Amino acid sequence: MKFLIIGGDAAGMSAASRAKRLNPSMTVTVLEQTHDVSYSACNMPYNVADPRRSMDDLVVRSADVFRNKQGIDLRTGHRVVRINAKDHTVEVRTEDSQNLNLTYDYLMIATGANPIMPDLPGFNQPGVMALKRLADGRALKRYVKENDVRHTVILGMGYIALEMCEALHARGVAVEMVKPRPDLLPWLVRDLAADIQRELEAHRIKLQMEKAVQEIRRDGKRLCVMGPDFAIPTDMVLVAVGVQPNSELAADAGLELGPSDAIAVNHCMQTSDSAIYSGGDCADAFHVVSGQRVWIPLALRANRSGWAVADHICTRPVHLPGIVGTAVFKVFDQQVARTGLTMAEAVQAGFDPQSATITSESRAGLYPGGFKIRVHMVGDKASGKLLGVQMVGKESVAHRINAAAVALHSGLTVSEFVQCDLAYAPPFGGVWDPLLIAANQLMKKL
């Protein structure tokens, strides 16, 4: 049996490793257009923050380990240019300009996502950077050092933008953040987003809201970010306005696409062609709460989807129920977490949502050293179901959100969640956990 995988990071290499482990006689071939495989992309901002570390520290397993110890035919510098689904072949171009035709019994597309780069003047010049692949991290870190970067403009204010804001600040780089819309994090309820904005401003991060960039000009060694009513001189520009699924190969092969043009897959990770699978940041998923297809690129889902593909082609039973969109990140001393649906997403999914927002403590009131925790909880008035939770605070937010995520996966109502037996000790929280306080308040509205 020939199992061919396009893409050599989390989803692709998880599938390759598990398939070879389950069926050692299987021919497993991975085609990766770069020379980097199996690395921790989520750690790149924290690596950038430390000038002493090499970006290659983030490699989890080298290509030679996959080749020599696991027997995987891993071919780096190989770019797939076309999938011919009818005859089960792919056309490949190597970095030395050779053209190959490879056959498969089963194919997995794990091509990930690409950073969005606006099609505007000046965005293709040196010093205008993105951060998605390990090569991006190397280039960015090298540029900061070699050009003595003292000021950076970050376009966007999402997860990567905020993590990189902190990383560059740690390097002594002044940061100015620019976005065309008025909200810092549009999905985060305003009261909680205000805490993050205050945290940024306390660290002298300059926020430029409602500023639409039209071009980037070069003035000698410096760049200038230009808009209709502003001009910001800077040493470097980081473009962090989002990512999009790398699904062009799938589309050209006639495969069905889902939300945001991600590759549509079923609960076994099969595409609309039963011999072709997809996983990772290029594929969609089912949202457990709404039941709808969504595209929310997440690291755990990528690894889990790789395992699922390998299991399915090795005839093991597979049914991935889906995701609830659980995510967490930090902005200086603040932790931000979410799971499930926002109010707007709940309305769009056909629910009749109500919400409650509370402020509590991370530790018991008489125990020293605690911090404020703010919780925003959403429930459905018709069914009483818990729909989503957002949290912001300086400690214990990242792990508390997991209780809400499990409740969503279990389909609990708010009243059932209130009865959950959550842990209590003064160093870790009050008798009534902040999540339970929010649930009690939400019950009154439901």
Side-chain angles (χ1 to χ4, degrees):
M1 184 190 299
K2 294 181 180 179
F3 181 27
L4 184 61
I5 300 168
I6 307 172
D9 198 14
M13 296 317 300
S14 292
S17 297
R18 190 169 180 87
K20 199 66 178 174
R21 186 162 58 250
L22 294 174
N23 185 353
S25 65
M26 182 186 297
T27 300
V28 179
T29 303
V30 180
L31 305 174
E32 167 57 44
Q33 65 179 354
T34 73
H35 286 268
D36 296 312
V37 298
S38 191
Y39 57 88
S40 176
C42 298
N43 259 303
M44 286 195 293
Y46 309 105
N47 184 287
V48 169
D50 186 351
R52 298 165 299 178
R53 291 183 64 191
S54 165
M55 193 59 66
D56 290 326
D57 289 349
L58 303 185
V59 175
V60 177
R61 190 174 297 173
S62 72
D64 284 341
V65 171
F66 288 109
R67 293 174 183 133
N68 301 330
K69 290 190 176 182
Q70 295 182 253
I72 295 169
D73 182 9
L74 171 55
R75 306 185 189 186
T76 55
H78 282 57
R79 181 172 64 89
V80 175
V81 295
R82 185 174 290 104
I83 298 168
N84 301 307
K86 188 175 293 186
D87 57 6
H88 283 213
T89 64
V90 298
E91 298 175 27
V92 184
R93 175 69 63 87
T94 68
E95 59 187 359
D96 57 358
S97 300
Q98 293 184 54
N99 295 314
L100 305 176
N101 252 341
L102 300 180
T103 62
Y104 64 84
D105 294 305
Y106 294 105
L107 175 69
M108 180 182 181
I109 304 172
T111 45
N114 292 323
I116 296 172
M117 191 66 69
D119 185 17
L120 294 170
F123 274 74
N124 59 348
Q125 60 185 311
V128 181
M129 323 286 286
L131 185 66
K132 184 66 177 72
R133 298 176 179 84
L134 201 62
D136 298 330
R138 293 192 195 98
L140 189 148
K141 207 165 183 179
R142 184 168 59 248
Y143 193 90
V144 169
K145 178 181 179 181
E146 293 178 356
N147 294 275
D148 192 27
V149 171
R150 298 296 179 187
H151 182 278
T152 294
V153 170
I154 298 179
L155 304 183
M157 298 183 187
Y159 297 178
I160 296 298
L162 290 168
E163 289 175 345
M164 281 301 298
C165 168
E166 181 179 348
L168 291 167
H169 181 273
R171 298 283 300 265
V173 177
V175 177
E176 203 158 344
M177 305 185 79
V178 178
K179 71 175 298 184
R181 292 188 290 181
D183 301 322
L184 178 63
L185 290 163
W187 55 265
L188 188 62
V189 68
R190 293 303 91 210
D191 288 351
L192 277 63
D195 289 348
I196 305 307
Q197 184 163 339
R198 283 190 288 270
E199 183 76 11
L200 290 167
E201 291 170 345
H203 287 84
R204 298 182 181 178
I205 305 301
K206 192 169 182 180
L207 303 179
Q208 300 275 18
M209 311 287 198
E210 299 184 88
K211 300 290 185 182
V213 175
Q214 293 180 327
E215 65 175 312
I216 300 174
R217 294 180 186 172
R218 179 166 291 280
D219 182 13
K221 291 186 176 181
R222 303 201 80 201
L223 300 166
C224 191
V225 179
M226 310 285 295
D229 57 352
F230 66 94
I232 307 172
T234 189
D235 300 316
M236 186 178 79
V237 177
L238 175 65
V239 182
V241 296
V243 296
Q244 56 194 5
N246 187 6
S247 58
E248 289 184 5
L249 281 172
D252 292 344
L255 301 181
E256 182 182 331
L257 301 183
S260 302
D261 286 338
I263 303 169
V265 293
N266 62 18
H267 292 285
C268 303
M269 307 310 295
Q270 285 174 304
T271 69
S272 52
D273 182 321
S274 61
I276 302 178
Y277 296 75
S278 185
D281 290 358
C282 60
D284 71 3
F286 291 94
H287 200 290
V288 170
V289 179
S290 70
Q292 298 174 344
R293 288 184 177 274
V294 292
W295 181 63
I296 306 175
L298 297 167
L300 177 58
R301 169 71 178 189
N303 285 276
R304 183 175 281 149
S305 66
W307 283 21
V309 171
D311 283 351
H312 199 254
I313 67 172
C314 292
T315 68
R316 290 191 169 199
V318 173
H319 182 91
L320 291 187
I323 61 173
V324 291
T326 309
V328 64
F329 62 100
K330 69 184 287 285
V331 183
F332 294 102
D333 294 329
Q334 291 280 2
Q335 300 172 12
V336 186
R338 69 167 292 182
T339 189
L341 305 178
T342 66
M343 284 287 286
E345 290 166 347
V347 170
Q348 189 177 19
F351 294 104
D352 180 12
Q354 298 289 325
S355 69
T357 304
I358 64 99
T359 301
S360 184
E361 301 288 334
S362 63
R363 307 179 189 184
L366 297 178
Y367 191 92
F371 298 95
K372 298 290 182 186
I373 283 186
R374 294 166 74 84
V375 182
H376 174 77
M377 186 172 286
V378 180
D380 179 42
K381 195 166 186 179
S383 64
K385 283 184 64 173
L386 179 67
L387 299 180
V389 176
Q390 301 176 0
M391 301 180 73
V392 168
K394 290 193 174 183
E395 71 173 12
S396 72
V397 163
H399 294 98
R400 271 191 166 98
I401 200 67
N402 288 333
V406 171
L408 292 173
H409 275 284
S410 302
L412 297 188
T413 64
V414 178
S415 60
E416 288 171 335
F417 183 65
V418 165
Q419 297 302 320
C420 286
D421 185 17
L422 303 187
Y424 157 65
F428 309 111
V431 173
W432 288 97
D433 188 90
L435 283 169
L436 298 181
I437 295 172
N440 270 312
Q441 293 302 311
L442 181 55
M443 278 181 61
K444 297 175 184 177
K445 296 187 177 182
L446 296 177

